[in-house]
Amino acid sequence: ARARVELTAAHHASGTDRIAELATRFAWPDADIVVNVQGDEPLLPPRLIDQVAGLLDADRAAGVATLVTAVRDDREFRDPNVVKVVGDAAGRALYFSRAPIPCPRDAGFPATARRHIGIYAYRVQSLRAIAAAPPCALETAERLEQLRALWIGIRIMVADAIEVPARGVDTVEDLALVRRHVKAP
């Protein structure tokens, strides 16, 4: 199989900024939907691409969509490399954090805890708005680009993934696990 590959400017701080460059370069229409599978998700099930694009297609007021899955254990819940998400009853993201959210008052972690999966669907108009805005204080503190979208008022839709992906690559140990998986017969 062949894929078209594009080189973007070296100064971009995020994948969002790189894709926004391509949207401008190729004059993508504002209403189009583009999906970004982040490089740290090499084992992402392909059908999640359709799922996340469908989320955005179903809600015309949303500018971004992403997927989550249940937090597996307390170690993952407390790991700052694992991004957690809190959403509302309608599936809109309220906040993304490296901290354990929602923070349980008692021991353990709540059944509602969700970890973010590195995939986004953007409406091109929202993609351009995010890239044009300066990083906000929340984004800088957490090192999470999606907080910029929330900060400027862009609705991010969130849903549980229809298929749970293998853990992404956030550490050297994660990379070793993915390499073993890829080499497995």
Side-chain angles (χ1 to χ4, degrees):
R2 292 179 175 241
R4 182 174 175 175
V5 177
E6 294 292 330
L7 185 62
T8 57
H11 68 272
H12 295 307
S14 70
T16 302
D17 296 324
R18 285 187 283 280
I19 295 169
E21 177 189 326
L22 296 176
T24 299
R25 184 186 307 168
F26 297 113
W28 293 341
D30 281 349
D32 278 7
I33 293 172
V34 60
V35 175
N36 173 14
V37 176
Q38 295 183 318
D40 60 358
E41 295 284 355
L43 303 177
L44 189 102
R47 61 194 203 129
L48 298 187
I49 295 169
D50 289 333
Q51 182 190 5
V52 76
L55 271 177
L56 197 52
D57 192 43
D59 185 341
R60 299 288 179 199
V64 180
T66 193
L67 299 175
V68 298
T69 190
V71 169
R72 295 176 240 210
D73 55 37
D74 194 63
R75 182 207 56 79
E76 186 174 74
F77 186 58
R78 302 201 180 284
D79 185 345
N81 294 306
V82 176
V83 176
K84 279 68 71 179
V85 185
V86 173
D88 69 9
R92 295 177 296 240
L94 295 172
Y95 196 71
F96 294 79
S97 184
R98 295 178 181 284
I101 59 171
C103 184
R105 203 176 77 156
D106 302 318
F109 64 94
T112 57
R114 293 288 179 267
R115 70 177 173 94
H116 181 245
I117 298 169
I119 185 170
Y120 295 98
Y122 299 94
R123 210 169 302 286
V124 170
Q125 178 180 13
S126 296
L127 179 65
R128 288 189 176 112
I130 296 164
C136 67
L138 295 173
E139 173 186 4
T140 302
E142 295 261 17
R143 305 287 297 160
L144 297 172
E145 66 196 81
Q146 60 271 49
L147 293 174
R148 186 185 330 169
L150 290 177
W151 183 258
I152 63 174
I154 294 174
R155 179 185 296 178
I156 301 176
M157 297 307 297
V158 178
D160 280 316
I162 56 175
E163 184 176 342
V164 178
R167 183 177 170 100
V169 178
D170 296 314
T171 66
V172 174
E173 293 79 16
D174 294 340
L175 180 58
L177 289 171
V178 168
R179 283 183 173 153
R180 282 196 300 272
H181 178 81
V182 171
K183 289 180 183 178

